Amino acid sequence: MAERAEVVFVDGVRTPFGRAGDKGMYWNTRADDLVVKAMIGLMERNPGVPPDRIDDVAIAATTQTGDQGLTLGRTASLLAGLPKSVPGFAIDRMCAGAMTAVTMMGSSIGFGAYDLAIAGGVEHMGRHPMGFGADPNPRFLSERLVSEDALNMGATAERIHDRFPEYTKERSDRFALRSQQKVAAAYEAGNIQPDLIPIATRSESGWGLATRDEAPRPDTTLEGLATLRTPFRSHGRVTAGNASGLNDGASACLMASGATARELGLGVKMTMISFAFAGVEPEVMGLGPVPSTEKALRKAGLSITDIGLFELNEAFAVQVISFLDHFGIDDDDPRVNEYGGAIALGHPLASSGVRLMNQLAHQFKSHPEVRYGLTAMCVGLGQGGSVIWENPHFNKKAAKR
């Protein structure tokens, strides 16, 4: 049997993330248009890619209905102007939708079935709130397969606080404040903007252009965070300030085999080394990235000390803290979420995985001393997803310094 093909991340883009709801910048924008614009932007940035060479398009959405339904990968492919010969499909793993699209396409490339593929995700949480129209099987509760809390992500975060009393609200608030500060600094340094595709918006006041994320609050203070109410539990610890918000946005990336990237003269931003998904109790779904990361490390023959950069999705501050504590990493470790995370930027569920990858790829370029990086996230209903990447800019001399 042939050896596994090298799998590379060529490029990734995303729309600016908007606030969900009728006051958000994408309220009058279709979900499929968001991901189509991301795909068009991705192709325009990579003119060396022959569109008819793309083997497949995988686009994720958590709520696959309305303008997020109808086999999204195929419809988005047609709307983006790719040749009709390019197939596509939709995928759903809640928060890890785009991450799963990437690992599915990466696996197909590694197996040798594909040479080039597009993977991404979209979530318009204003039009399609999580779980909207879903009809959970009554057995979940009647047979006590899960508790009622398991279907409420905020309640699952409160349960992590319960399980680990040392994860105080103050600690979560402090982590959240740093996320806001890091995002502000990353914008100031021009580290976020290169991967954003501007999107035309329409509101009562007329047409506009979205060029920045809508959610960041750079004026956040610890004092302000301390006063926020705890919507998931009276006297709880999870607030709108130490959790990601409800957001709209889309992302897309181009994956290739190493041989195809060389043949077409494409740049390589990262190489996929291993990935894993794992399940945990749905009631504490935020713990999911711990076993998925352990599994991915084991598959790669690496340990946590080999990872030089971490991009962890900040669904809830306590969820990231639980990951860091498990692996003995300090809350302030500079290797973690260098440009900030979802608490400030937002988390349009199925699109977030590629945002993590974009940020890691950008950091790899400025960190030649780092060989391996990790993108990881918790997933609704008790799962975690992790992907380990290698830095093509790695320099042994820089590492020794």
PDB file of all heavy atoms in Angstrom, residues 9 11-13 35 38-39 42 54 56-60 89 91 97-106 109 116-122 250-255 272 350-351 353-354 357-358:
ATOM      1  N   PHE A   9      -1.806  22.791   4.560  1.00  0.00           N
ATOM      2  CA  PHE A   9      -2.760  23.897   4.641  1.00  0.00           C
ATOM      3  C   PHE A   9      -2.154  25.014   3.798  1.00  0.00           C
ATOM      4  O   PHE A   9      -1.128  25.583   4.166  1.00  0.00           O
ATOM      5  CB  PHE A   9      -2.907  24.307   6.109  1.00  0.00           C
ATOM      6  CG  PHE A   9      -3.892  25.405   6.408  1.00  0.00           C
ATOM      7  CD1 PHE A   9      -5.177  25.110   6.821  1.00  0.00           C
ATOM      8  CD2 PHE A   9      -3.515  26.745   6.335  1.00  0.00           C
ATOM      9  CE1 PHE A   9      -6.085  26.122   7.133  1.00  0.00           C
ATOM     10  CE2 PHE A   9      -4.411  27.763   6.643  1.00  0.00           C
ATOM     11  CZ  PHE A   9      -5.706  27.444   7.045  1.00  0.00           C
ATOM     12  N   ASP A  11      -3.842  27.905   2.471  1.00  0.00           N
ATOM     13  CA  ASP A  11      -4.295  29.259   2.816  1.00  0.00           C
ATOM     14  C   ASP A  11      -5.683  29.167   3.445  1.00  0.00           C
ATOM     15  O   ASP A  11      -6.438  28.229   3.160  1.00  0.00           O
ATOM     16  CB  ASP A  11      -4.361  30.122   1.554  1.00  0.00           C
ATOM     17  CG  ASP A  11      -4.501  31.610   1.843  1.00  0.00           C
ATOM     18  OD1 ASP A  11      -4.249  32.021   2.996  1.00  0.00           O
ATOM     19  OD2 ASP A  11      -4.866  32.369   0.915  1.00  0.00           O
ATOM     20  N   GLY A  12      -5.999  30.119   4.296  1.00  0.00           N
ATOM     21  CA  GLY A  12      -7.325  30.179   4.905  1.00  0.00           C
ATOM     22  C   GLY A  12      -7.787  31.614   5.040  1.00  0.00           C
ATOM     23  O   GLY A  12      -6.976  32.526   5.232  1.00  0.00           O
ATOM     24  N   VAL A  13      -9.094  31.812   4.910  1.00  0.00           N
ATOM     25  CA  VAL A  13      -9.680  33.154   5.055  1.00  0.00           C
ATOM     26  C   VAL A  13     -10.962  33.038   5.869  1.00  0.00           C
ATOM     27  O   VAL A  13     -11.485  31.945   6.078  1.00  0.00           O
ATOM     28  CB  VAL A  13     -10.017  33.792   3.686  1.00  0.00           C
ATOM     29  CG1 VAL A  13      -8.781  33.946   2.829  1.00  0.00           C
ATOM     30  CG2 VAL A  13     -11.092  32.989   2.950  1.00  0.00           C
ATOM     31  N   VAL A  35     -20.478  32.405   3.218  1.00  0.00           N
ATOM     32  CA  VAL A  35     -19.446  31.399   2.918  1.00  0.00           C
ATOM     33  C   VAL A  35     -19.036  31.457   1.450  1.00  0.00           C
ATOM     34  O   VAL A  35     -17.866  31.227   1.108  1.00  0.00           O
ATOM     35  CB  VAL A  35     -19.891  29.984   3.353  1.00  0.00           C
ATOM     36  CG1 VAL A  35     -20.943  29.381   2.436  1.00  0.00           C
ATOM     37  CG2 VAL A  35     -18.677  29.063   3.447  1.00  0.00           C
ATOM     38  N   ALA A  38     -16.455  34.110   1.186  1.00  0.00           N
ATOM     39  CA  ALA A  38     -15.182  33.613   1.725  1.00  0.00           C
ATOM     40  C   ALA A  38     -14.483  32.736   0.701  1.00  0.00           C
ATOM     41  O   ALA A  38     -13.261  32.848   0.483  1.00  0.00           O
ATOM     42  CB  ALA A  38     -15.421  32.849   3.029  1.00  0.00           C
ATOM     43  N   MET A  39     -15.237  31.861   0.025  1.00  0.00           N
ATOM     44  CA  MET A  39     -14.652  30.974  -0.975  1.00  0.00           C
ATOM     45  C   MET A  39     -14.118  31.745  -2.182  1.00  0.00           C
ATOM     46  O   MET A  39     -13.026  31.463  -2.685  1.00  0.00           O
ATOM     47  CB  MET A  39     -15.681  29.932  -1.420  1.00  0.00           C
ATOM     48  CG  MET A  39     -15.942  28.861  -0.372  1.00  0.00           C
ATOM     49  SD  MET A  39     -17.388  27.840  -0.761  1.00  0.00           S
ATOM     50  CE  MET A  39     -16.912  27.129  -2.328  1.00  0.00           C
ATOM     51  N   LEU A  42     -10.946  33.364  -1.177  1.00  0.00           N
ATOM     52  CA  LEU A  42      -9.877  32.357  -1.084  1.00  0.00           C
ATOM     53  C   LEU A  42      -9.302  32.047  -2.466  1.00  0.00           C
ATOM     54  O   LEU A  42      -8.078  31.998  -2.645  1.00  0.00           O
ATOM     55  CB  LEU A  42     -10.447  31.079  -0.451  1.00  0.00           C
ATOM     56  CG  LEU A  42      -9.488  29.902  -0.288  1.00  0.00           C
ATOM     57  CD1 LEU A  42      -8.418  30.216   0.757  1.00  0.00           C
ATOM     58  CD2 LEU A  42     -10.250  28.633   0.120  1.00  0.00           C
ATOM     59  N   ILE A  54      -9.947  21.209  -8.215  1.00  0.00           N
ATOM     60  CA  ILE A  54     -10.451  21.013  -6.846  1.00  0.00           C
ATOM     61  C   ILE A  54     -11.304  19.747  -6.818  1.00  0.00           C
ATOM     62  O   ILE A  54     -12.250  19.596  -7.592  1.00  0.00           O
ATOM     63  CB  ILE A  54     -11.234  22.245  -6.367  1.00  0.00           C
ATOM     64  CG1 ILE A  54     -10.260  23.406  -6.184  1.00  0.00           C
ATOM     65  CG2 ILE A  54     -11.957  21.962  -5.049  1.00  0.00           C
ATOM     66  CD1 ILE A  54     -10.904  24.739  -5.960  1.00  0.00           C
ATOM     67  N   ASP A  56     -13.045  18.405  -4.119  1.00  0.00           N
ATOM     68  CA  ASP A  56     -14.270  18.396  -3.316  1.00  0.00           C
ATOM     69  C   ASP A  56     -14.329  19.665  -2.476  1.00  0.00           C
ATOM     70  O   ASP A  56     -13.315  20.316  -2.239  1.00  0.00           O
ATOM     71  CB  ASP A  56     -14.293  17.164  -2.390  1.00  0.00           C
ATOM     72  CG  ASP A  56     -15.696  16.635  -2.119  1.00  0.00           C
ATOM     73  OD1 ASP A  56     -16.680  17.350  -2.420  1.00  0.00           O
ATOM     74  OD2 ASP A  56     -15.813  15.503  -1.606  1.00  0.00           O
ATOM     75  N   VAL A  57     -15.546  19.978  -2.033  1.00  0.00           N
ATOM     76  CA  VAL A  57     -15.788  21.146  -1.170  1.00  0.00           C
ATOM     77  C   VAL A  57     -16.632  20.675   0.015  1.00  0.00           C
ATOM     78  O   VAL A  57     -17.740  20.169  -0.168  1.00  0.00           O
ATOM     79  CB  VAL A  57     -16.539  22.262  -1.935  1.00  0.00           C
ATOM     80  CG1 VAL A  57     -16.872  23.417  -0.988  1.00  0.00           C
ATOM     81  CG2 VAL A  57     -15.708  22.767  -3.114  1.00  0.00           C
ATOM     82  N   ALA A  58     -16.093  20.814   1.230  1.00  0.00           N
ATOM     83  CA  ALA A  58     -16.824  20.432   2.450  1.00  0.00           C
ATOM     84  C   ALA A  58     -17.116  21.692   3.253  1.00  0.00           C
ATOM     85  O   ALA A  58     -16.188  22.374   3.687  1.00  0.00           O
ATOM     86  CB  ALA A  58     -15.997  19.466   3.297  1.00  0.00           C
ATOM     87  N   ILE A  59     -18.396  22.029   3.406  1.00  0.00           N
ATOM     88  CA  ILE A  59     -18.781  23.212   4.179  1.00  0.00           C
ATOM     89  C   ILE A  59     -19.684  22.778   5.331  1.00  0.00           C
ATOM     90  O   ILE A  59     -20.678  22.088   5.135  1.00  0.00           O
ATOM     91  CB  ILE A  59     -19.508  24.257   3.303  1.00  0.00           C
ATOM     92  CG1 ILE A  59     -18.613  24.709   2.140  1.00  0.00           C
ATOM     93  CG2 ILE A  59     -19.948  25.453   4.147  1.00  0.00           C
ATOM     94  CD1 ILE A  59     -17.333  25.430   2.541  1.00  0.00           C
ATOM     95  N   ALA A  60     -19.327  23.222   6.524  1.00  0.00           N
ATOM     96  CA  ALA A  60     -20.049  22.827   7.734  1.00  0.00           C
ATOM     97  C   ALA A  60     -21.047  23.888   8.161  1.00  0.00           C
ATOM     98  O   ALA A  60     -20.831  25.080   7.949  1.00  0.00           O
ATOM     99  CB  ALA A  60     -19.057  22.582   8.872  1.00  0.00           C
ATOM    100  N   PHE A  89     -20.258  18.825  -0.296  1.00  0.00           N
ATOM    101  CA  PHE A  89     -21.185  18.255   0.672  1.00  0.00           C
ATOM    102  C   PHE A  89     -21.216  19.097   1.940  1.00  0.00           C
ATOM    103  O   PHE A  89     -20.361  19.963   2.142  1.00  0.00           O
ATOM    104  CB  PHE A  89     -20.844  16.794   0.987  1.00  0.00           C
ATOM    105  CG  PHE A  89     -19.508  16.566   1.667  1.00  0.00           C
ATOM    106  CD1 PHE A  89     -19.442  16.287   3.025  1.00  0.00           C
ATOM    107  CD2 PHE A  89     -18.327  16.614   0.943  1.00  0.00           C
ATOM    108  CE1 PHE A  89     -18.221  16.059   3.653  1.00  0.00           C
ATOM    109  CE2 PHE A  89     -17.101  16.396   1.564  1.00  0.00           C
ATOM    110  CZ  PHE A  89     -17.046  16.112   2.922  1.00  0.00           C
ATOM    111  N   ILE A  91     -21.586  19.248   6.287  1.00  0.00           N
ATOM    112  CA  ILE A  91     -21.072  18.481   7.416  1.00  0.00           C
ATOM    113  C   ILE A  91     -21.533  19.147   8.704  1.00  0.00           C
ATOM    114  O   ILE A  91     -21.753  20.358   8.730  1.00  0.00           O
ATOM    115  CB  ILE A  91     -19.522  18.425   7.300  1.00  0.00           C
ATOM    116  CG1 ILE A  91     -18.932  17.240   8.026  1.00  0.00           C
ATOM    117  CG2 ILE A  91     -18.873  19.694   7.744  1.00  0.00           C
ATOM    118  CD1 ILE A  91     -17.511  16.960   7.583  1.00  0.00           C
ATOM    119  N   GLY A  97     -17.409  22.001  13.270  1.00  0.00           N
ATOM    120  CA  GLY A  97     -17.790  21.722  11.893  1.00  0.00           C
ATOM    121  C   GLY A  97     -16.663  21.969  10.910  1.00  0.00           C
ATOM    122  O   GLY A  97     -16.281  21.082  10.137  1.00  0.00           O
ATOM    123  N   ALA A  98     -16.111  23.193  10.910  1.00  0.00           N
ATOM    124  CA  ALA A  98     -15.038  23.508   9.955  1.00  0.00           C
ATOM    125  C   ALA A  98     -13.796  22.675  10.254  1.00  0.00           C
ATOM    126  O   ALA A  98     -13.092  22.244   9.334  1.00  0.00           O
ATOM    127  CB  ALA A  98     -14.704  25.000   9.999  1.00  0.00           C
ATOM    128  N   MET A  99     -13.525  22.427  11.534  1.00  0.00           N
ATOM    129  CA  MET A  99     -12.377  21.591  11.893  1.00  0.00           C
ATOM    130  C   MET A  99     -12.554  20.188  11.301  1.00  0.00           C
ATOM    131  O   MET A  99     -11.618  19.600  10.757  1.00  0.00           O
ATOM    132  CB  MET A  99     -12.225  21.513  13.411  1.00  0.00           C
ATOM    133  CG  MET A  99     -11.095  20.594  13.858  1.00  0.00           C
ATOM    134  SD  MET A  99     -10.874  20.571  15.651  1.00  0.00           S
ATOM    135  CE  MET A  99      -9.884  22.048  15.885  1.00  0.00           C
ATOM    136  N   THR A 100     -13.776  19.658  11.387  1.00  0.00           N
ATOM    137  CA  THR A 100     -14.046  18.327  10.842  1.00  0.00           C
ATOM    138  C   THR A 100     -13.982  18.345   9.318  1.00  0.00           C
ATOM    139  O   THR A 100     -13.500  17.383   8.700  1.00  0.00           O
ATOM    140  CB  THR A 100     -15.420  17.826  11.323  1.00  0.00           C
ATOM    141  OG1 THR A 100     -15.442  17.854  12.753  1.00  0.00           O
ATOM    142  CG2 THR A 100     -15.693  16.417  10.854  1.00  0.00           C
ATOM    143  N   ALA A 101     -14.445  19.433   8.698  1.00  0.00           N
ATOM    144  CA  ALA A 101     -14.322  19.561   7.242  1.00  0.00           C
ATOM    145  C   ALA A 101     -12.849  19.497   6.836  1.00  0.00           C
ATOM    146  O   ALA A 101     -12.482  18.824   5.865  1.00  0.00           O
ATOM    147  CB  ALA A 101     -14.962  20.864   6.774  1.00  0.00           C
ATOM    148  N   VAL A 102     -11.990  20.174   7.603  1.00  0.00           N
ATOM    149  CA  VAL A 102     -10.551  20.176   7.314  1.00  0.00           C
ATOM    150  C   VAL A 102      -9.958  18.777   7.493  1.00  0.00           C
ATOM    151  O   VAL A 102      -9.181  18.300   6.651  1.00  0.00           O
ATOM    152  CB  VAL A 102      -9.818  21.199   8.206  1.00  0.00           C
ATOM    153  CG1 VAL A 102      -8.302  21.005   8.156  1.00  0.00           C
ATOM    154  CG2 VAL A 102     -10.177  22.616   7.788  1.00  0.00           C
ATOM    155  N   THR A 103     -10.316  18.107   8.591  1.00  0.00           N
ATOM    156  CA  THR A 103      -9.720  16.783   8.827  1.00  0.00           C
ATOM    157  C   THR A 103     -10.259  15.747   7.836  1.00  0.00           C
ATOM    158  O   THR A 103      -9.541  14.835   7.429  1.00  0.00           O
ATOM    159  CB  THR A 103      -9.943  16.318  10.281  1.00  0.00           C
ATOM    160  OG1 THR A 103     -11.345  16.288  10.585  1.00  0.00           O
ATOM    161  CG2 THR A 103      -9.236  17.237  11.259  1.00  0.00           C
ATOM    162  N   MET A 104     -11.522  15.889   7.416  1.00  0.00           N
ATOM    163  CA  MET A 104     -12.075  14.995   6.382  1.00  0.00           C
ATOM    164  C   MET A 104     -11.346  15.186   5.058  1.00  0.00           C
ATOM    165  O   MET A 104     -10.956  14.229   4.397  1.00  0.00           O
ATOM    166  CB  MET A 104     -13.564  15.299   6.170  1.00  0.00           C
ATOM    167  CG  MET A 104     -14.469  14.830   7.274  1.00  0.00           C
ATOM    168  SD  MET A 104     -14.860  13.087   7.177  1.00  0.00           S
ATOM    169  CE  MET A 104     -15.891  13.025   5.729  1.00  0.00           C
ATOM    170  N   MET A 105     -11.166  16.436   4.653  1.00  0.00           N
ATOM    171  CA  MET A 105     -10.466  16.716   3.398  1.00  0.00           C
ATOM    172  C   MET A 105      -8.992  16.310   3.515  1.00  0.00           C
ATOM    173  O   MET A 105      -8.420  15.760   2.575  1.00  0.00           O
ATOM    174  CB  MET A 105     -10.577  18.199   3.030  1.00  0.00           C
ATOM    175  CG  MET A 105     -11.992  18.671   2.740  1.00  0.00           C
ATOM    176  SD  MET A 105     -12.760  17.962   1.259  1.00  0.00           S
ATOM    177  CE  MET A 105     -13.596  16.558   1.958  1.00  0.00           C
ATOM    178  N   GLY A 106      -8.401  16.588   4.680  1.00  0.00           N
ATOM    179  CA  GLY A 106      -7.007  16.194   4.903  1.00  0.00           C
ATOM    180  C   GLY A 106      -6.835  14.682   4.823  1.00  0.00           C
ATOM    181  O   GLY A 106      -5.859  14.185   4.243  1.00  0.00           O
ATOM    182  N   ILE A 109      -6.972  13.580   1.235  1.00  0.00           N
ATOM    183  CA  ILE A 109      -5.698  13.897   0.568  1.00  0.00           C
ATOM    184  C   ILE A 109      -4.624  12.911   1.020  1.00  0.00           C
ATOM    185  O   ILE A 109      -3.873  12.365   0.198  1.00  0.00           O
ATOM    186  CB  ILE A 109      -5.286  15.357   0.864  1.00  0.00           C
ATOM    187  CG1 ILE A 109      -6.257  16.329   0.160  1.00  0.00           C
ATOM    188  CG2 ILE A 109      -3.841  15.620   0.422  1.00  0.00           C
ATOM    189  CD1 ILE A 109      -6.163  17.764   0.653  1.00  0.00           C
ATOM    190  N   LEU A 116      -6.528  18.422  -4.146  1.00  0.00           N
ATOM    191  CA  LEU A 116      -6.877  19.778  -3.712  1.00  0.00           C
ATOM    192  C   LEU A 116      -8.307  19.776  -3.188  1.00  0.00           C
ATOM    193  O   LEU A 116      -9.180  19.139  -3.793  1.00  0.00           O
ATOM    194  CB  LEU A 116      -6.821  20.749  -4.899  1.00  0.00           C
ATOM    195  CG  LEU A 116      -5.479  21.300  -5.355  1.00  0.00           C
ATOM    196  CD1 LEU A 116      -5.639  21.930  -6.726  1.00  0.00           C
ATOM    197  CD2 LEU A 116      -4.933  22.323  -4.370  1.00  0.00           C
ATOM    198  N   ALA A 117      -8.562  20.481  -2.108  1.00  0.00           N
ATOM    199  CA  ALA A 117      -9.930  20.528  -1.576  1.00  0.00           C
ATOM    200  C   ALA A 117     -10.140  21.825  -0.813  1.00  0.00           C
ATOM    201  O   ALA A 117      -9.192  22.420  -0.294  1.00  0.00           O
ATOM    202  CB  ALA A 117     -10.190  19.339  -0.657  1.00  0.00           C
ATOM    203  N   ILE A 118     -11.396  22.255  -0.763  1.00  0.00           N
ATOM    204  CA  ILE A 118     -11.780  23.420   0.036  1.00  0.00           C
ATOM    205  C   ILE A 118     -12.589  22.926   1.226  1.00  0.00           C
ATOM    206  O   ILE A 118     -13.473  22.067   1.083  1.00  0.00           O
ATOM    207  CB  ILE A 118     -12.610  24.414  -0.798  1.00  0.00           C
ATOM    208  CG1 ILE A 118     -11.714  25.111  -1.833  1.00  0.00           C
ATOM    209  CG2 ILE A 118     -13.284  25.467   0.093  1.00  0.00           C
ATOM    210  CD1 ILE A 118     -12.450  26.015  -2.805  1.00  0.00           C
ATOM    211  N   ALA A 119     -12.272  23.455   2.405  1.00  0.00           N
ATOM    212  CA  ALA A 119     -13.012  23.107   3.624  1.00  0.00           C
ATOM    213  C   ALA A 119     -13.345  24.393   4.364  1.00  0.00           C
ATOM    214  O   ALA A 119     -12.560  25.340   4.367  1.00  0.00           O
ATOM    215  CB  ALA A 119     -12.170  22.195   4.521  1.00  0.00           C
ATOM    216  N   GLY A 120     -14.520  24.434   4.990  1.00  0.00           N
ATOM    217  CA  GLY A 120     -14.892  25.638   5.731  1.00  0.00           C
ATOM    218  C   GLY A 120     -16.179  25.442   6.490  1.00  0.00           C
ATOM    219  O   GLY A 120     -16.661  24.314   6.658  1.00  0.00           O
ATOM    220  N   GLY A 121     -16.732  26.551   6.936  1.00  0.00           N
ATOM    221  CA  GLY A 121     -17.971  26.476   7.704  1.00  0.00           C
ATOM    222  C   GLY A 121     -18.636  27.829   7.779  1.00  0.00           C
ATOM    223  O   GLY A 121     -18.006  28.866   7.534  1.00  0.00           O
ATOM    224  N   VAL A 122     -19.906  27.811   8.102  1.00  0.00           N
ATOM    225  CA  VAL A 122     -20.663  29.053   8.255  1.00  0.00           C
ATOM    226  C   VAL A 122     -21.669  28.871   9.373  1.00  0.00           C
ATOM    227  O   VAL A 122     -22.168  27.762   9.599  1.00  0.00           O
ATOM    228  CB  VAL A 122     -21.380  29.439   6.934  1.00  0.00           C
ATOM    229  CG1 VAL A 122     -22.388  28.371   6.502  1.00  0.00           C
ATOM    230  CG2 VAL A 122     -22.067  30.795   7.052  1.00  0.00           C
ATOM    231  N   ALA A 250     -18.311  33.214   8.516  1.00  0.00           N
ATOM    232  CA  ALA A 250     -17.951  32.064   7.682  1.00  0.00           C
ATOM    233  C   ALA A 250     -16.443  32.023   7.486  1.00  0.00           C
ATOM    234  O   ALA A 250     -15.751  33.030   7.632  1.00  0.00           O
ATOM    235  CB  ALA A 250     -18.644  32.153   6.326  1.00  0.00           C
ATOM    236  N   SER A 251     -15.952  30.830   7.149  1.00  0.00           N
ATOM    237  CA  SER A 251     -14.521  30.642   6.907  1.00  0.00           C
ATOM    238  C   SER A 251     -14.337  29.611   5.801  1.00  0.00           C
ATOM    239  O   SER A 251     -15.228  28.792   5.541  1.00  0.00           O
ATOM    240  CB  SER A 251     -13.820  30.167   8.186  1.00  0.00           C
ATOM    241  OG  SER A 251     -14.343  28.896   8.588  1.00  0.00           O
ATOM    242  N   ALA A 252     -13.175  29.648   5.158  1.00  0.00           N
ATOM    243  CA  ALA A 252     -12.850  28.668   4.118  1.00  0.00           C
ATOM    244  C   ALA A 252     -11.339  28.550   3.997  1.00  0.00           C
ATOM    245  O   ALA A 252     -10.615  29.532   4.189  1.00  0.00           O
ATOM    246  CB  ALA A 252     -13.438  29.098   2.774  1.00  0.00           C
ATOM    247  N   CYS A 253     -10.876  27.340   3.713  1.00  0.00           N
ATOM    248  CA  CYS A 253      -9.437  27.156   3.529  1.00  0.00           C
ATOM    249  C   CYS A 253      -9.173  26.182   2.391  1.00  0.00           C
ATOM    250  O   CYS A 253     -10.050  25.419   1.975  1.00  0.00           O
ATOM    251  CB  CYS A 253      -8.768  26.673   4.819  1.00  0.00           C
ATOM    252  SG  CYS A 253      -9.166  24.974   5.275  1.00  0.00           S
ATOM    253  N   LEU A 254      -7.952  26.241   1.909  1.00  0.00           N
ATOM    254  CA  LEU A 254      -7.525  25.401   0.801  1.00  0.00           C
ATOM    255  C   LEU A 254      -6.519  24.386   1.328  1.00  0.00           C
ATOM    256  O   LEU A 254      -5.494  24.758   1.907  1.00  0.00           O
ATOM    257  CB  LEU A 254      -6.885  26.274  -0.278  1.00  0.00           C
ATOM    258  CG  LEU A 254      -6.498  25.618  -1.588  1.00  0.00           C
ATOM    259  CD1 LEU A 254      -7.730  25.095  -2.335  1.00  0.00           C
ATOM    260  CD2 LEU A 254      -5.745  26.619  -2.467  1.00  0.00           C
ATOM    261  N   MET A 255      -6.831  23.104   1.143  1.00  0.00           N
ATOM    262  CA  MET A 255      -5.954  22.010   1.544  1.00  0.00           C
ATOM    263  C   MET A 255      -5.400  21.355   0.282  1.00  0.00           C
ATOM    264  O   MET A 255      -6.073  21.314  -0.756  1.00  0.00           O
ATOM    265  CB  MET A 255      -6.732  20.965   2.352  1.00  0.00           C
ATOM    266  CG  MET A 255      -7.485  21.504   3.550  1.00  0.00           C
ATOM    267  SD  MET A 255      -6.380  22.017   4.869  1.00  0.00           S
ATOM    268  CE  MET A 255      -5.678  20.432   5.363  1.00  0.00           C
ATOM    269  N   MET A 272      -0.275  19.197   8.139  1.00  0.00           N
ATOM    270  CA  MET A 272      -1.068  18.454   9.116  1.00  0.00           C
ATOM    271  C   MET A 272      -0.299  17.217   9.566  1.00  0.00           C
ATOM    272  O   MET A 272       0.155  16.423   8.742  1.00  0.00           O
ATOM    273  CB  MET A 272      -2.419  18.047   8.511  1.00  0.00           C
ATOM    274  CG  MET A 272      -3.351  17.424   9.538  1.00  0.00           C
ATOM    275  SD  MET A 272      -4.869  16.754   8.805  1.00  0.00           S
ATOM    276  CE  MET A 272      -5.771  18.256   8.469  1.00  0.00           C
ATOM    277  N   ALA A 350     -19.881  26.584  13.541  1.00  0.00           N
ATOM    278  CA  ALA A 350     -19.226  25.699  12.575  1.00  0.00           C
ATOM    279  C   ALA A 350     -18.091  26.354  11.800  1.00  0.00           C
ATOM    280  O   ALA A 350     -17.344  25.662  11.121  1.00  0.00           O
ATOM    281  CB  ALA A 350     -20.260  25.127  11.603  1.00  0.00           C
ATOM    282  N   SER A 351     -17.938  27.670  11.884  1.00  0.00           N
ATOM    283  CA  SER A 351     -16.873  28.325  11.114  1.00  0.00           C
ATOM    284  C   SER A 351     -15.584  28.512  11.911  1.00  0.00           C
ATOM    285  O   SER A 351     -14.539  28.824  11.343  1.00  0.00           O
ATOM    286  CB  SER A 351     -17.357  29.681  10.588  1.00  0.00           C
ATOM    287  OG  SER A 351     -17.618  30.553  11.653  1.00  0.00           O
ATOM    288  N   GLY A 353     -13.327  26.653  13.503  1.00  0.00           N
ATOM    289  CA  GLY A 353     -12.121  25.832  13.385  1.00  0.00           C
ATOM    290  C   GLY A 353     -11.091  26.430  12.448  1.00  0.00           C
ATOM    291  O   GLY A 353      -9.885  26.430  12.741  1.00  0.00           O
ATOM    292  N   VAL A 354     -11.540  26.960  11.316  1.00  0.00           N
ATOM    293  CA  VAL A 354     -10.590  27.547  10.359  1.00  0.00           C
ATOM    294  C   VAL A 354     -10.028  28.866  10.884  1.00  0.00           C
ATOM    295  O   VAL A 354      -8.883  29.216  10.580  1.00  0.00           O
ATOM    296  CB  VAL A 354     -11.233  27.695   8.960  1.00  0.00           C
ATOM    297  CG1 VAL A 354     -10.379  28.546   8.027  1.00  0.00           C
ATOM    298  CG2 VAL A 354     -11.456  26.314   8.337  1.00  0.00           C
ATOM    299  N   MET A 357      -7.054  27.952  12.783  1.00  0.00           N
ATOM    300  CA  MET A 357      -5.964  27.559  11.877  1.00  0.00           C
ATOM    301  C   MET A 357      -5.321  28.770  11.223  1.00  0.00           C
ATOM    302  O   MET A 357      -4.091  28.843  11.099  1.00  0.00           O
ATOM    303  CB  MET A 357      -6.495  26.577  10.834  1.00  0.00           C
ATOM    304  CG  MET A 357      -6.935  25.261  11.444  1.00  0.00           C
ATOM    305  SD  MET A 357      -7.954  24.277  10.320  1.00  0.00           S
ATOM    306  CE  MET A 357      -8.697  23.125  11.502  1.00  0.00           C
ATOM    307  N   ASN A 358      -6.136  29.743  10.800  1.00  0.00           N
ATOM    308  CA  ASN A 358      -5.588  30.974  10.212  1.00  0.00           C
ATOM    309  C   ASN A 358      -4.638  31.653  11.187  1.00  0.00           C
ATOM    310  O   ASN A 358      -3.552  32.108  10.816  1.00  0.00           O
ATOM    311  CB  ASN A 358      -6.709  31.961   9.871  1.00  0.00           C
ATOM    312  CG  ASN A 358      -7.558  31.523   8.705  1.00  0.00           C
ATOM    313  OD1 ASN A 358      -7.205  30.622   7.965  1.00  0.00           O
ATOM    314  ND2 ASN A 358      -8.714  32.170   8.550  1.00  0.00           N
TER     315      ASN A 358
END
